[in-house]
Amino acid sequence: MELCDLTARELSGLLRQRKVSAVEILESCLERIGQVDGRPGSLDAGPLTPEDEQKVHAFITLTDDRALQQAREVDRKLAAGEDPGPLAGIPFTVKDIFCVRGTRTTAASRILANYIAPYTATPVERLEASGGLMLGKVNLDEFTYGSSSESSAFQPSPRNPWNPSRVPGGSSGGSTASVAAGEAVLSLGTDTAGSIRQPAAFCGVVGLKPTYGRVSRYGLIAFASSLDCPGPIARDVTGAAMMLQAMAGPDPRDATTADLPPEDYLSQLEAGVRGLRIGLSPDYFRITFPTPDGGFEQQPLPVEIEASVRKAADLLRALGAEIIEDVPMPNTRYGIPAYFVISRVEAASNLHRYDGVKYGYRTPEPVADLRSMYRKTRGQGFGVQPKLRILMGMYVSAAQYSEQYYQRALRVRTLIRRDFETVFDPQGPYRLNALLTPTTPTAAFAMSAVYGDSVLMQYADQLTVPANHAGIPGLSIPAGLDAEGLPLGIQLLGPDFSEATLLRIARAYEQATEAEVWRTQKPAVLS
Amino acid sequence: MTEAISPEIFDHLVELAALELTPAEATYLRQQLNHQLDAIDQLESIPLDASLPITSHGVPYTAQISQPPREDTWQPYPAPDEILAQSPQFEDGYIIVPDIPHTSLE
């Protein structure tokens, strides 16, 4: 076990007891990156070599100099008896969709490949102000548009550390892969339909989508502004709580952040689950899949995934929680169809700014006029996913179709929100503190198996997207390995601003399963 | 699969979106868009009460959790040259673009 494999809490303890230095922690992560990451993502990377197929490829840009300066400052403060901050000496990576001043901020797109951010996103600023070491910018689906990280313009795209022939999930695949492989202890991701929770489940790490408005979006390159949520990715529940504590809270530079002080996410973490009401819904135990003829069919959840949720419910019941079965969430299945409309309209609007004028890529070809420059720049600079999203967004919001599609989807969003309001209502029939569900309909799928089919890929988010529509928090935690040795995740969903309760339930589960054999197993890239 | 997005509608969208596509790309994108519409069409089977309001964001912005409006103060960026330098073509503090096409209004 190397330093880089420890949790944020363990490293923090060792650092404060002066048993290790921040520089030593950083060096351990850098050594691991050297062993497992392989070449970083780049444009025009050429074909994959057999060696590439065994590596993680989490990074686009390593910022080791920045991290080293930060580590030296932490060590200086410790030596001088100053408080180095709650995340002192903890190396973290940042999904390359956040602006960090002076670093390349690419969104994994050719159109921003040369963009140097002139300012720093609030969540990153707060992590650095807490003493965290910013280790680098990690790969993702282009503009976050995907669930496998394969659509990145920066190849090789990240691979799953548990089995490099599988995807790490996405879009925060570089983030979750870097944490799973011990390259970083924490990572900052974003979640618009499941982009923190789905890859966290695939990579066997903890991922939290906070309540919309809990963490500032200032400095986050926008995808769907009413759905995007920055959030923590960590090796354990305590690490996620520490990271959320550092980032949460109002930000005058993002008017959509809630004017509510963050709770203390750490003090109640080990308070147990006695008396909490946790629901199971049959609507999260069936999944919808597109069929080759353009239809859709409902299928039962894979047995191992359902079993992992049922087992967690039994454990939580034994710890004193009340498990409420058969909670109806009837609009869950409309999450993806509504998302196909709402997210595309917002994405199309947000992508108009990329025009080859103010920053980023401009076509090198001769052009007749400004319109022609726009068309060539956007045609060459955007990959397939942004193009699809712009075109669909324009179609479903066009005056003649808007009533049928966009307005309808926004009303379905109301139904999805009401499902949650009903079951979390403290005066209602269910009075739940949380819903317990699977995070994903499958374990990590093979590289190339789904990529190219934009509908099938979108359905990977069917169990996570309802929380984005509703704005509520969702937490994915590891819940074992399947027969192929791939991680499985379970999800906790709670009412607005209930992160402290979700973390507490997750921590109880984590403690109850501490001694299980799968907890001792390591990702394949580490063997 | 639906063919709701015909080649003509597709070309119109491409023009509005200011995208230059290769023929192979155009074929693939149009096929994927129609495939996605099959998924979206499931929304039509949901009975919606005419009085049902829309939700444009999940968490309600109540007075208690909404930030007060920010002071309208001037906050100069310390290094405007750095921002200008991001432009693909600039000179003397100006961003340069190709000719802007002029059209006469009827």
Side-chain angles (χ1 to χ4, degrees):
Chain A
M1 180 86 76
E2 304 293 327
L3 281 178
C4 63
D5 295 311
L6 300 181
T7 66
R9 169 58 60 84
E10 289 166 336
L11 287 171
S12 208
L14 291 173
L15 190 78
R16 273 155 216 279
Q17 295 158 34
R18 312 296 302 276
K19 289 184 176 157
V20 297
S21 69
V23 169
E24 285 169 329
I25 296 172
L26 174 65
E27 282 169 350
S28 175
C29 286
L30 291 172
E31 190 182 335
R32 177 62 56 79
I33 293 167
Q35 287 160 355
V36 304
D37 209 57
R39 57 179 172 143
S42 67
L43 297 177
D44 309 311
L48 289 184
T49 65
E51 196 203 338
D52 286 336
E53 292 176 1
Q54 300 305 317
K55 299 291 185 185
V56 178
H57 308 289
F59 283 83
I60 290 179
T61 305
L62 189 65
T63 54
D64 44 350
D65 287 344
R66 186 184 187 106
L68 184 60
Q69 279 180 26
Q70 291 168 337
R72 286 189 179 136
E73 177 62 9
V74 167
D75 288 336
R76 186 199 63 74
K77 283 185 175 168
L78 281 167
E82 296 169 33
D83 179 7
L87 291 179
I90 308 299
F92 68 95
T93 53
V94 175
K95 186 177 184 179
D96 203 11
I97 194 79
F98 288 94
C99 291
V100 179
R101 184 163 184 182
T103 71
R104 209 155 59 118
T105 297
T106 69
S109 180
R110 184 177 293 273
I111 212 158
L112 282 177
N114 60 1
Y115 175 62
I116 309 289
Y119 65 107
T120 297
T122 298
V124 179
E125 193 176 272
R126 291 184 179 176
L127 293 171
E128 290 190 320
S130 302
L133 315 180
M134 214 287 277
L135 202 45
K137 310 291 287 292
V138 284
N139 215 335
L140 62 148
D141 281 294
E142 183 175 0
F143 280 102
T144 79
Y145 301 164
S147 309
S148 69
S149 303
E150 291 164 288
S151 67
S152 174
F154 288 70
Q155 295 288 325
S157 67
R159 305 176 86 88
N160 193 315
W162 289 85
N163 178 343
S165 74
R166 304 295 178 117
V167 300
S171 64
S172 309
S175 287
T176 57
S178 68
V179 172
E183 298 175 276
V185 179
L186 302 171
S187 188
L188 174 62
T190 62
D191 190 313
T192 306
S195 278
I196 287 174
R197 290 161 288 159
Q198 184 256 22
F202 280 11
C203 289
V205 296
V206 174
L208 171 62
K209 178 204 103 67
T211 310
Y212 185 85
R214 184 72 292 179
V215 176
S216 172
R217 290 180 296 116
Y218 179 77
L220 162 64
I221 296 173
F223 161 14
S225 305
S226 80
L227 300 157
D228 296 340
C229 290
I233 291 159
R235 210 161 286 148
D236 69 345
V237 175
T238 308
M242 289 167 71
M243 193 171 168
L244 180 64
Q245 197 75 60
M247 298 191 294
D251 176 8
R253 292 177 297 190
D254 174 2
T256 63
T257 49
D259 199 12
L260 277 178
E263 284 179 75
D264 185 338
Y265 300 112
L266 289 154
S267 67
Q268 294 299 304
L269 203 51
E270 317 234 328
V273 294
R274 185 159 301 281
L276 293 182
R277 291 171 62 86
I278 300 171
L280 297 174
S281 172
D283 298 302
Y284 278 86
F285 290 128
R286 12 172 201 270
I287 47 180
T288 303
F289 269 111
T291 55
D293 60 357
F296 292 85
E297 64 179 25
Q298 295 239 308
Q299 296 171 3
L301 205 60
V303 174
E304 283 174 302
I305 292 183
E306 173 155 356
S308 69
V309 179
R310 301 256 177 223
K311 188 192 123 186
D314 291 342
L315 275 172
L316 293 168
R317 186 187 285 117
L319 295 170
E322 201 173 334
I323 302 296
I324 318 309
E325 304 242 15
D326 294 322
V327 175
M329 298 293 292
N331 295 292
T332 304
R333 58 182 294 202
Y334 301 120
I336 293 295
Y339 180 78
F340 259 127
V341 175
I342 295 166
S343 69
R344 272 51 174 182
V345 172
E346 296 186 20
S349 169
N350 279 322
L351 288 174
H352 276 302
R353 71 189 67 170
Y354 305 104
D355 58 4
V357 174
K358 301 175 293 295
Y359 46 75
Y361 176 83
R362 181 188 284 190
T363 180
E365 290 177 28
V367 289
D369 61 22
L370 185 66
R371 280 289 296 174
S372 158
M373 190 278 281
Y374 287 160
R375 281 193 294 262
K376 283 187 189 294
T377 294
R378 289 162 62 86
Q380 294 160 10
F382 285 133
V384 163
Q385 282 304 319
K387 286 171 183 162
L388 266 176
R389 289 178 194 226
I390 294 167
L391 294 167
M392 183 57 94
M394 301 192 88
Y395 180 71
V396 295
S397 61
Q400 63 272 44
Y401 306 118
S402 172
E403 193 58 39
Q404 179 187 356
Y405 294 123
Y406 187 48
Q407 296 300 316
R408 193 171 185 87
L410 290 176
R411 289 158 81 209
V412 171
R413 189 172 181 183
T414 303
L415 297 178
I416 294 170
R417 167 86 190 173
R418 284 185 183 171
D419 280 357
F420 288 110
E421 285 176 346
T422 303
V423 303
F424 295 143
D425 180 356
Q427 269 80 49
Y430 297 98
R431 304 182 305 284
L432 299 183
N433 297 100
L435 265 171
L436 171 64
T437 79
T439 308
T440 57
T442 65
F445 42 86
M447 301 281 299
S448 313
V450 178
Y451 187 58
D453 183 338
S454 62
V455 175
L456 187 57
M457 187 66 86
Q458 191 69 77
Y459 272 86
D461 296 330
Q462 60 185 285
L463 303 177
T464 45
V465 75
N468 300 79
H469 284 304
I472 60 160
L475 171 63
S476 179
I477 54 172
L481 303 174
D482 73 3
E484 292 182 89
L486 294 168
L488 300 174
I490 55 174
Q491 175 176 240
L492 290 159
L493 302 170
D496 297 342
F497 305 108
S498 66
E499 288 85 355
T501 307
L502 301 187
L503 289 162
R504 185 175 140 192
I505 299 169
R507 178 67 187 134
Y509 173 83
E510 194 176 67
Q511 284 176 310
T513 55
E514 221 159 41
E516 294 189 2
V517 175
W518 61 271
R519 293 258 182 217
T520 62
Q521 281 167 289
K522 294 275 164 243
V525 295
L526 302 185
S527 59
Chain B
M1 194 189 296
T2 174
E3 272 291 317
I5 300 181
S6 64
E8 293 71 33
I9 291 175
F10 181 79
D11 289 345
H12 177 62
L13 292 172
V14 170
E15 175 62 23
L16 288 176
L19 292 170
E20 188 174 283
L21 304 177
T22 65
E25 229 179 353
T27 304
Y28 172 74
L29 291 172
R30 192 173 78 81
Q31 179 253 336
Q32 286 293 311
L33 289 174
N34 279 314
H35 192 21
Q36 293 182 3
L37 275 185
D38 286 330
I40 293 169
D41 283 344
Q42 293 178 80
L43 296 176
E44 290 183 26
S45 66
I46 310 172
L48 293 180
D49 191 317
S51 65
L52 188 70
I54 65 161
T55 293
S56 52
H57 49 83
V59 180
Y61 293 141
T62 59
Q64 292 115 310
I65 68 162
S66 296
Q67 291 190 57
R70 184 172 62 188
E71 285 278 311
D72 186 12
T73 51
W74 181 56
Q75 296 174 17
Y77 183 74
D81 289 352
E82 276 180 33
I83 293 179
L84 273 175
Q86 297 280 332
S87 173
Q89 205 184 348
F90 63 99
E91 199 177 299
D92 299 334
Y94 288 92
I95 286 173
I96 299 170
V97 295
D99 282 346
I100 299 171
H102 289 261
T103 43
S104 311
L105 295 175
E106 309 268 311

